[in-house]
Structures are given as C-alpha cells and as structure tokens.
Amino acid sequence: MANTPQPGTRERIVRAASLLMQRQGYEGTGIKQVAQEARATLGSVYHFFPGGKQALGVAAVQHADQEFADLLSVSLAEEADPAKAIAACARMLAHHLRDSEWRDGCPISATALETTGRVPDIEQAVTQAFRHWRDMVADTLLGAGFPEGVARDLATTVISTLEGAELTAQVYRSETPLVVAGEHLARLIDSYRA
C-alpha cells in the first residue's frame, strides 16, 4: 500500500485559505488565521505569497476552481447522457453540502460577492473559474451533439442555476433545492435535443 504524500507548506496554506474563504469570505479571512489553520508560520505565508492577502486570495480561488472542476468532471464523465450527468452533479453537490453540515457551499461565491469591483486580481480569478466550469459543461454538450450556441447558453444556465440552488440549499439546510434544480436542468437539456 503506497503512502499518500503529505501536502507541502504552500499547498497547506492555499487549502486553508480556500476553505476559510469559502466559509467566511475574503474579508473575514485573515493571514494569521490562514497560517494557524495551515500549521505554518506567518513568515511562510509571506514567503510563498509576497503579494500578501490578495496574492493568497487569487491562489485560493484558483484552488477552489480546480476542486469544483474535479467534482464536475467526475459527474460529467460517469454519465454519458449530459442531462443525467447534470442531475447527478446536482445530487453530488447536495450530498457534499449536507456532509459539511451546510457550511461548504460554492467554494468562491462569498469571495466573488465581496471582491467584485474592488479587488481586480481576485475578480479576474473568479471570472476565470466561472468560465472554466461553464466551458466544461459546454464541451460536454458539444460532444453530445448540441449546436455550439445552444451548448454555450445551456452551460451558462447550468452553472448559474447550480450556484443559486447551492446557496438556497445552504440557507434552507436542505438538499431539495439542488436536487430539484438538477432535475429541471436535465429536463431543459432534454428539451433542446435535436
């Protein structure tokens, strides 16, 4: 049995920042708290992120982008039918949210709301994350034979709906908003089949 390598100091710092920002936003997350959560020194944080909190924030958003992309990728790969894949993704998000005791919704929404129009580097990283997720869904739809314009529009709708449903599920402390959204997204996708 192979040992899983332990994350290095930089990776621990980024993971801690990402989780804290997910739960309490960018403004509510301090460098000292990140260092404590990551079991790292304050000097280590500034060594890896000489640009300070903003540079760390960008790295945390990029980490969160990849985490959600990995989850989305698994959902899209496990089901050949894109409508069923999106419904499965919504259920997976609902289970993950429930398992986190309703704390871990979208990994970047709190940060996105706080930094839009105020912190351009983080705003750009958030924009790239949403675009990345949309493009993953669009590529799946294109691969299933949907026309390009329809695939892009549906993908935008999918990501926007999942974002809103995840927030609603978190507020209600219920999987239902995500599960229902996934089912309706599947119906919407089916309605566009040629």
Side-chain angles (χ1 to χ4, degrees):
M1 184 159 100
N3 289 338
T4 304
Q6 295 297 312
T9 303
R10 184 185 189 286
E11 187 177 349
R12 286 196 326 270
I13 292 167
V14 171
R15 285 181 181 182
S18 182
L19 182 62
L20 289 168
M21 286 168 50
Q22 178 180 25
R23 291 182 175 176
Q24 57 197 41
Y26 176 75
E27 296 297 335
T29 300
I31 295 279
K32 287 181 183 178
Q33 184 184 20
V34 171
Q36 289 171 346
E37 283 290 318
R39 298 175 325 279
T41 66
L42 204 51
S44 293
V45 176
Y46 284 107
H47 168 75
F48 289 110
F49 300 98
K53 183 175 177 179
Q54 196 170 116
L56 177 56
V58 168
V61 167
Q62 290 168 339
H63 173 78
D65 170 11
Q66 192 55 54
E67 271 192 338
F68 183 74
D70 291 345
L71 183 146
L72 188 57
S73 181
V74 166
S75 294
L76 295 174
E78 285 183 350
E79 180 62 61
D81 180 339
K84 290 179 181 176
I86 294 303
C89 180
R91 286 190 304 274
M92 187 183 298
L93 288 170
H95 298 319
H96 174 75
L97 189 56
R98 180 201 62 219
D99 291 348
S100 76
E101 298 179 353
W102 314 105
R103 292 179 298 179
D104 298 340
C106 172
I108 63 171
S109 60
T111 300
L113 292 172
E114 287 181 338
T115 59
T116 298
R118 296 185 327 100
V119 188
D121 291 346
I122 294 177
E123 184 177 351
Q124 182 179 3
V126 167
T127 300
Q128 289 171 345
F130 281 121
R131 188 175 297 127
H132 180 204
W133 304 339
R134 181 207 60 207
D135 289 349
M136 290 177 70
V137 174
D139 289 346
T140 297
L141 293 169
L142 287 167
F146 286 77
E148 185 169 350
V150 170
R152 299 272 172 229
D153 289 350
L154 281 173
T156 298
T157 302
V158 165
I159 296 303
S160 298
T161 302
L162 289 176
E163 285 295 311
E166 194 165 32
L167 176 61
T168 306
Q170 195 169 13
V171 169
Y172 288 161
R173 300 176 65 81
S174 168
E175 295 176 62
T176 302
L178 270 163
V179 172
V180 169
E183 290 169 358
H184 283 272
L185 285 170
R187 288 183 197 151
L188 177 65
I189 291 167
D190 281 338
S191 76
Y192 278 86
R193 290 186 194 273

